[in-house]
Amino acid sequence: MATIYYTGCSLDGFIATTDHSLDWLTSRDLDEDGPMAYPGFRERIGACVMGATTWQWILDHDDDPWGPLPTWVLTHRTFPEAPPSVRFDRDDVRRVHAEMTAAADGKDLWVVGGGELVGQLHDAGLLDEVWLQCAPVTLGGGAPVLPRHVELRLEEVARNRDFMCGRYAVVR
C-alpha cells in the first residue's frame, strides 16, 4: 500500500490557474487506456483525501460527485450534504491517514488536488509517491504542484499522447 499524489500539471509546475481552472488540462489528448492514465490508476485506489478547494471544484464540475470511494475532505469550511462515502474532517493528517488506511483495505491511498495537504502528508512522512502527467502548456502562475521542497527519485516515465508522465518515489 502506498500514499500517492496523482495529478496533472503544466510544464511550469502548476496544477490549476489562479482562478482554479483546469480547462488547459481537460482539453488535451489522452489515451484513457494508455500508460499512467486515470482509469488504471483508479483501480489501485481504496481511499482518498483532498482539501476544500478540490472538493469545491468537484461540486462545481461533476453532476455525480465522487461515488462510493471512501473520501476525506480536510477543511474548516462548511459544505452542503455530501454522499455517504465523504467525510469532512479538521484533524491532523496522521489520524486521517490511519483511518484512510483502514478503509482502503490494502489498496493505495490517493491525495487528490494538491497544495498544503500534500505538503502536510510529506512533512508527516506519509507521502510515498508522486505521479505527474505534464501537459504541453505553461500557465505562468497558479496552484503549484508541490508547495515545499520535496526530494523525489524518478521510477518510471512514459508518454501518453499529449502528456509526459512520470512516477516518482519520495526520498526520505
Side-chain angles (χ1 to χ4, degrees):
M1 189 205 88
T3 301
I4 304 169
Y5 174 36
Y6 176 96
T7 192
C9 68
S10 64
L11 288 178
D12 56 349
F14 297 100
I15 60 171
T17 64
T18 54
D19 63 351
H20 307 292
S21 173
L22 297 179
D23 292 344
W24 59 273
L25 178 65
T26 58
S27 65
R28 303 295 164 175
D29 186 30
L30 176 75
D31 179 358
E32 291 292 329
D33 295 320
M36 295 190 217
Y38 176 74
F41 172 78
R42 174 60 184 86
E43 290 175 9
R44 317 167 45 124
I45 301 305
C48 70
V49 63
M50 66 186 72
T53 301
T54 302
W55 180 246
Q56 186 62 60
W57 191 93
I58 289 169
L59 291 176
D60 292 345
H61 294 90
D62 192 341
D63 292 334
D64 183 21
W66 222 240
L69 181 66
T71 301
W72 280 257
V73 178
L74 294 183
T75 182
H76 293 283
R77 295 188 209 170
T78 301
F79 285 96
E81 190 173 319
S85 61
V86 177
R87 301 149 181 88
F88 297 98
D89 207 305
R90 299 174 187 216
D91 209 354
D92 179 15
V93 295
R94 288 172 185 87
R95 184 189 54 75
V96 170
H97 187 272
E99 289 178 12
M100 291 172 53
T101 300
D105 196 29
K107 290 183 136 189
D108 291 335
L109 307 179
W110 177 22
V111 185
V112 185
E116 183 59 26
L117 177 58
V118 175
Q120 289 176 27
L121 287 161
H122 172 265
D123 294 350
L126 300 171
L127 185 65
D128 300 307
E129 295 184 4
V130 175
W131 291 32
L132 298 176
Q133 288 68 38
C134 296
V137 63
T138 58
L139 301 179
V145 169
L146 288 162
R148 44 175 86 24
H149 181 98
V150 177
E151 293 288 332
L152 302 169
R153 180 182 62 249
L154 182 63
E155 298 290 336
E156 182 180 358
V157 66
R159 177 181 182 179
N160 186 327
R161 294 190 183 153
D162 283 350
F163 290 85
M164 179 176 56
C165 308
R167 182 175 64 84
Y168 300 87
V170 174
V171 176
R172 298 201 200 310

